[in-house]
Amino acid sequence: MWRSCHRLRDGGRRLLNRPAGGPSASESPGLTIPSPARAYAPPTERKRFYQNVSITQGEGGFEINLDHRKLKTPQAKLFTVPSEALAIAVATEWDSQQDTIKYYTMHLTTLCNTSLDNPTQRNKDQLIRAAVKFLDTDTICYRVEEPETLVELQRNEWDPIIEWAEKRYGVEISSSTSIMGPSIPAKTREVLVSHLASYNTWALQGIEFVAAQLKSMVLTLGLIDLRLTVEQAVLLSRLEEEYQIQKWGNIEWAHDYELQELRARTAAGTLFVHLCSESSTVKHKLLKE
C-alpha cells in the first residue's frame, strides 16, 4: 500500500498541502460519500468525478481533497483523520479508483467514516467489550473430534498461537470440542480488557473490525502484535475450510475471490489500527521517491 502512495505524484496527482489561500470548506461545496459501514445504506458505484487527490492539514487533523472539494462523511462531517500517514493511505484508496468508484473496496475510508460518525453511538468501554466478546466464539478455540487428520492439523497450527497469547498476556485460553465452546476465565477477560484500554477509540474500531473478519480475538491479537502476518492469520482463520477444499475441491473463482477479499479487509483493518495507534508523520521527500 505504501508503494502505491507514491503514484499520487504521478501524472500530476500530488499529495501536497495547499496554500493557505486555497479553497476551504465554506468556499466550496462539501462532498458527502456513502459508506459500506453496516449502519449505513448499501453503497453504490459511481462514475469517478474528480481528477486529483490531495491532503491538507487543518485544525482538527488531516483532510482529504478531491479536486477543490473537501471529503465529508455520510453524516456530512468534515472527513478529518489524526495522522498524515492515515490521510495518505485513505487518499491512495481514492486515487486508485478507476473510471468507476467502488465504495465497497475502500475499507480504510469506511473505518474512518465509522470512527468519525460513530453510527452505533458506542463509547470506548462498549467497543472494548464488543472486541473481547469474540473470545466466546473464537475460531481457534473450537476443535473437532474427527477426522484425526483435521484434529492434528488444528492442534499443530492453532495450539502454538494460543500458547503465545497465554504467555504474552499472562492469561489462560483453553480450547474445547463442545458445541458450547471453551470456558474463558474471568481473569483472562479482565487482562484483555485492560490491554485494549491502552488503545484509542479509532484503533478499537479497527481491532473489532479485524476480529469480525477472522472470527477470532486471539488471531487478531497475534496480528496486531506482529506475531502473525495477514496471510498467516487469514489462513489460520480458514483452517477447516481450507482442509475441506483440499479434500473435496472448491467452487471455481468463488474460493479465490473470498480469500483475496478477506485478506484485503484484514490487511486494511490491521493497517488502520497501527496508523491510529502511532503518531507518525510521513516526510514529503518519501513521496518523491
Side-chain angles (χ1 to χ4, degrees):
M1 176 171 286
W2 290 111
R3 286 195 298 270
S4 63
C5 288
H6 300 162
R7 295 186 293 104
L8 290 171
R9 279 189 178 263
D10 295 342
R13 296 176 182 173
R14 300 182 178 182
L15 287 179
L16 292 175
N17 288 337
R18 293 178 179 272
S24 66
S26 60
E27 295 172 336
S28 58
L31 178 64
T32 302
I33 301 301
S35 163
R38 64 187 176 201
Y40 301 135
T44 57
E45 295 185 358
R46 179 180 179 181
K47 182 178 176 60
R48 177 164 172 160
F49 54 88
Y50 54 91
Q51 294 295 321
N52 302 315
V53 183
S54 62
I55 62 174
T56 305
Q57 185 171 10
E59 293 183 1
F62 292 86
E63 304 161 4
I64 309 297
N65 307 301
L66 305 181
D67 292 335
H68 62 283
R69 288 170 286 195
K70 299 286 187 182
L71 184 62
K72 291 190 176 182
T73 72
Q75 292 185 13
K77 295 179 181 178
L78 182 62
F79 190 101
T80 307
V81 299
S83 75
E84 184 181 15
L86 180 57
I88 290 176
V90 171
T92 301
E93 284 190 329
W94 285 92
D95 187 67
S96 64
Q97 300 299 306
Q98 302 302 313
D99 294 336
T100 301
I101 305 171
K102 301 181 186 296
Y103 297 112
Y104 51 85
T105 66
M106 304 168 73
H107 306 303
L108 292 173
T109 299
T110 298
L111 284 165
C112 290
N113 280 332
T114 302
S115 297
L116 288 165
D117 284 349
N118 191 15
T120 54
Q121 294 300 301
R122 292 183 298 172
N123 58 32
K124 184 173 182 177
D125 289 340
Q126 290 171 316
L127 288 171
I128 291 173
R129 288 199 297 270
V132 173
K133 192 171 180 58
F134 279 98
L135 278 176
D136 296 329
T137 55
D138 201 294
T139 296
I140 71 173
C141 292
Y142 279 79
R143 305 298 175 88
V144 299
E145 295 181 318
E146 58 180 357
E148 182 57 36
T149 50
L150 181 54
V151 171
E152 183 179 2
L153 182 64
Q154 290 180 337
R155 183 170 57 246
N156 291 341
E157 298 296 330
W158 285 347
D159 281 1
I161 303 303
I162 290 181
E163 292 170 2
W164 165 82
E166 290 179 329
K167 182 178 181 181
R168 166 69 173 82
Y169 298 101
V171 298
E172 179 183 342
I173 303 173
S174 59
S175 60
S176 173
T177 58
S178 169
I179 193 173
M180 301 302 293
S183 177
I184 305 297
K187 180 63 176 177
T188 296
R189 296 180 190 278
E190 292 174 6
V191 170
L192 293 184
V193 164
S194 178
H195 171 69
L196 292 178
S198 65
Y199 290 92
N200 59 45
T201 55
W202 282 59
L204 288 171
Q205 292 279 7
I207 289 173
E208 185 192 10
F209 179 80
V210 174
Q213 309 311 310
L214 300 176
K215 305 297 187 294
S216 171
M217 190 61 208
V218 178
L219 291 178
T220 298
L221 291 171
L223 187 54
I224 300 302
D225 211 40
L226 304 182
R227 169 63 176 76
L228 298 169
T229 65
V230 169
E231 290 76 10
Q232 290 171 332
V234 168
L235 182 59
L236 288 171
S237 74
R238 292 168 49 92
L239 195 63
E240 184 172 355
E241 184 175 355
E242 294 294 334
Y243 172 85
Q244 298 297 344
I245 287 173
Q246 289 193 15
K247 185 174 182 181
W248 305 107
N250 65 292
I251 300 175
E252 189 174 3
W253 296 110
H255 168 258
D256 291 339
Y257 176 83
E258 181 180 324
L259 178 61
Q260 295 303 323
E261 178 63 16
L262 180 56
R263 284 178 177 172
R265 292 195 301 268
T266 302
T270 304
L271 178 60
F272 183 81
V273 172
H274 284 290
L275 293 183
C276 292
S277 301
E278 302 174 358
S279 176
S280 56
T281 300
V282 178
K283 300 297 183 182
H284 289 296
K285 65 178 183 180
L286 294 179
L287 301 177
K288 299 178 182 180
E289 294 179 355

